[in-house]
């Protein structure tokens, strides 16, 4: 089940490259590319590099360590890489942007107990 978190000042991130943000205890990356906001894994699956130090080209985020490339829409790495990153859904309501993050087991459990 997804929990939606509001992204404060999403427009302000437009010229900031790849940035890290924490939502509900989970740290993820956000970036704008060609007027679309994208949300994805914090770490590169190859050797754990922080993708906040990466950059975007041709619709992909490029890892700063060994240049693995990941599609910003599907999360797929280039074919020879055999890896992928997680992509988080983004939605826009009125003028605000939200990112959807799966609830962890304990979040779901504790949430159901308090309802
Ligand atoms: S750690 Fe990202 S490509 Fe190696």
């Amino acid at each position: 089940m997804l929990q939606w978190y509001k992204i404060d000042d999403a427009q302000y991130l437009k010229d900031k490259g790849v940035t890290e943000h924490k939502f509900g205890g989970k740290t993820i990356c956000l970036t704008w590319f060609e007027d679309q906001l994208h949300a994805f894994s914090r770490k590169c699956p190859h050797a754990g590099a922080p993708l906040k130090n990466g950059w975007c080209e041709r619709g992909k985020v490029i890892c700063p360590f060994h240049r693995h490339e990941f599609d910003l829409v599907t999360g797929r790495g280039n074919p020879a890489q055999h890896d992928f990153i997680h992509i988080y859904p983004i939605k826009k309501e009125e003028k605000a942007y939200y990112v959807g993050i799966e609830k962890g087991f304990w979040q779901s459990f504790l949430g159901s107990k308090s309802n």
Side-chain angles (χ1 to χ4, degrees):
M1 186 174 179
L2 281 182
Q3 174 88 39
W4 291 95
Y5 296 93
K6 186 175 180 198
I7 302 168
D8 291 326
D9 299 326
Q11 299 288 345
Y12 171 77
L13 300 173
K14 279 197 169 170
D15 59 352
K16 303 288 185 219
V18 181
T19 51
E20 261 187 12
H21 303 264
K22 199 165 191 173
F23 299 99
K26 186 153 195 97
T27 303
I28 65 168
C29 286
L30 294 174
T31 197
W32 285 90
F33 186 78
E34 293 182 347
D35 224 28
Q36 292 289 318
L37 183 58
H38 300 273
F40 52 89
S41 306
R42 169 189 187 200
K43 287 186 179 178
C44 176
H46 179 231
L51 291 174
K52 71 176 180 185
N53 295 335
W55 62 93
C56 296
E57 294 175 2
R58 296 168 277 113
K60 298 175 180 195
V61 59
I62 319 291
C63 177
F65 278 19
H66 314 102
R67 308 291 194 263
H68 279 205
E69 301 181 358
F70 303 94
D71 189 286
L72 287 167
V73 175
T74 66
R76 282 198 196 114
N78 285 347
Q81 296 172 195
H82 306 293
D83 56 7
F84 62 92
I85 56 174
H86 188 82
I87 300 294
Y88 297 92
I90 297 276
K91 70 178 180 181
K92 187 179 179 189
E93 286 182 358
E94 314 232 337
K95 290 187 175 174
Y97 287 86
Y98 297 83
V99 61
I101 297 180
E102 301 86 3
K103 277 189 181 178
F105 171 79
W106 287 109
Q107 274 179 299
S108 299
F109 180 74
L110 294 173
S112 68
K113 286 284 186 193
S114 62
N115 290 336

